[in-house]
Amino acid sequence: MAKNVPYSSCETPVITRRKIVNRNRHYSFQDNFRWKGVKVDEYKTNGDDWDGIARQVLIGACGESTKFHLRYFEIKPGGYSSFETHKHEHVVIGIRGSGKAKLDRRIVHINYLDVLYINPETPHRLYNPYDAPFGFFCIVNARRDKPRSLKKK
Amino acid sequence: MAKNVPYSSCETPVITRRKIVNRNRHYSFQDNFRWKGVKVDEYKTNGDDWDGIARQVLIGACGESTKFHLRYFEIKPGGYSSFETHKHEHVVIGIRGSGKAKLDRRIVHINYLDVLYINPETPHRLYNPYDAPFGFFCIVNARRDKPRSLKKK
């Protein structure tokens, strides 16, 4: 598995030549919703149907053999994810501030530690209509299909 | 999948005859680390190598098609899980109080929102040496092998 995993913050630049190994890891929580040793990326590297989202991959980029990946996303006030659909599921857990999810035509409010399960092929978007950051864990299958953008808000 | 899933709190007794369906679900967080519509079980139904642990299955007992399950465990002061090993991994996220994990001979402290990845076949135990409850999410593969107890503290 490690072969297919892109270079990630699990290995610092100093040890880029070291093989990424599947081993016990402890990511301690830091100030401002960062985890020690985990880098912050943009939500996506392309597209114009999203805004103001950062991503941290906590489990899934460092050779872990789990059938799932754990990510933390944070949406700035006014930000939103792509409105999209796919075969794989999402499990979302709110941990910072509050936000909303549009599930097809339904709007769900996500508060602290609420758990949201998004069923396969449900068109969805997460967004932050509030004045404070909205942060959440998102768990997905490690092997998953590519999202299809629905190109509307 | 639903056929093999035991009867769970996702369906109330009133609707036991209704088919468990894979659909969007929103479990709102309640007081005292409960989630609306999710029942509290014991950690295990047998064994004497654990004490003082409750379990809530948030994702995995209601027909969800994810390749993973999400559970919340809470360990009372002085409580501990079985010291065991298995081929599947654990991802642990501390969300209430603090606790510790024994990973083979290593002791790891788990604070709020720390993320711990426990590698396959690492003998492990989670425990609470403190005076307040220690609660954490634990994510596992949906298909997983049976733990083997190591019968020692």
Side-chain angles (χ1 to χ4, degrees):
Chain A
M1 183 178 171
K3 273 188 182 176
N4 300 322
V5 173
Y7 178 75
S8 148
S9 55
C10 55
E11 305 295 319
T12 68
V14 180
I15 50 172
T16 51
R17 288 165 194 237
R18 186 188 293 176
K19 191 179 169 189
I20 296 178
V21 292
N22 189 14
R23 62 170 175 82
N24 297 316
R25 292 181 190 271
H26 179 227
Y27 299 108
S28 59
F29 183 62
Q30 313 279 289
D31 290 340
N32 203 28
F33 285 78
R34 295 285 308 268
W35 283 263
K36 193 172 181 181
V38 178
K39 68 173 180 173
V40 179
D41 289 319
E42 277 201 308
Y43 165 63
K44 288 181 177 176
T45 53
N46 56 15
D48 59 357
D49 59 347
W50 60 274
D51 191 39
I53 312 186
R55 169 211 304 260
Q56 294 180 63
V57 179
L58 288 154
I59 301 294
C62 293
E64 301 89 354
S65 49
T66 50
K67 299 289 187 194
F68 57 88
H69 291 171
L70 171 68
R71 299 93 49 86
Y72 172 73
F73 293 95
E74 194 168 290
I75 309 183
K76 292 179 182 173
Y80 51 90
S81 67
S82 305
F83 188 59
E84 62 186 26
T85 188
H86 39 68
K87 290 180 186 169
H88 64 270
E89 312 83 353
H90 283 310
V91 170
V92 168
I93 307 170
I95 62 166
R96 184 178 197 178
S98 292
K100 293 190 178 187
K102 174 176 164 61
L103 305 181
D104 206 352
R105 295 177 194 177
R106 179 183 168 201
I107 304 295
V108 178
H109 195 97
I110 304 171
N111 284 319
Y112 179 67
L113 291 185
D114 283 357
V115 175
L116 178 66
Y117 171 74
I118 304 177
N119 200 39
E121 298 294 9
T122 299
H124 60 277
R125 155 171 283 156
L126 282 99
Y127 61 103
N128 182 1
Y130 303 111
D131 293 333
F134 168 43
F136 56 90
F137 291 124
C138 179
I139 318 166
V140 285
N141 294 339
R143 293 188 64 174
R144 55 189 183 271
D145 60 318
K146 194 174 172 181
R148 303 187 302 284
S149 174
L150 296 169
K151 296 282 182 195
K152 63 174 183 179
K153 274 200 183 179
Chain B
M1 182 178 175
K3 271 189 181 175
N4 300 322
V5 173
Y7 179 74
S8 149
S9 55
C10 54
E11 305 295 321
T12 69
V14 180
I15 49 171
T16 51
R17 288 164 194 234
R18 186 188 294 176
K19 192 179 170 188
I20 295 177
V21 291
N22 189 13
R23 62 170 175 79
N24 297 318
R25 291 180 191 273
H26 179 227
Y27 298 108
S28 59
F29 183 62
Q30 313 279 289
D31 289 340
N32 203 27
F33 286 78
R34 296 286 307 268
W35 283 264
K36 193 172 181 182
V38 178
K39 69 173 179 172
V40 179
D41 289 318
E42 276 202 307
Y43 165 63
K44 288 182 177 175
T45 53
N46 56 15
D48 60 358
D49 59 346
W50 62 273
D51 191 39
I53 313 186
R55 168 211 304 261
Q56 294 180 62
V57 179
L58 288 153
I59 301 294
C62 294
E64 300 89 354
S65 49
T66 49
K67 300 288 187 194
F68 58 87
H69 291 171
L70 171 67
R71 300 92 50 85
Y72 171 73
F73 292 96
E74 195 168 290
I75 309 184
K76 292 179 182 172
Y80 51 91
S81 68
S82 305
F83 188 59
E84 63 187 24
T85 189
H86 40 67
K87 291 180 187 168
H88 64 270
E89 311 83 355
H90 283 310
V91 171
V92 169
I93 308 170
I95 61 165
R96 183 177 198 179
S98 292
K100 293 190 177 187
K102 175 176 165 61
L103 304 181
D104 206 350
R105 294 176 194 179
R106 179 182 170 203
I107 305 295
V108 178
H109 195 97
I110 305 170
N111 284 317
Y112 179 67
L113 292 185
D114 282 358
V115 175
L116 178 66
Y117 172 73
I118 304 178
N119 200 38
E121 297 296 7
T122 299
H124 60 277
R125 154 171 284 154
L126 283 99
Y127 59 105
N128 182 0
Y130 304 110
D131 294 332
F134 168 42
F136 55 91
F137 290 124
C138 179
I139 317 166
V140 286
N141 293 339
R143 294 189 65 174
R144 56 189 184 271
D145 61 318
K146 195 173 171 183
R148 301 185 303 284
S149 174
L150 297 169
K151 295 283 185 197
K152 64 175 183 178
K153 273 198 184 180

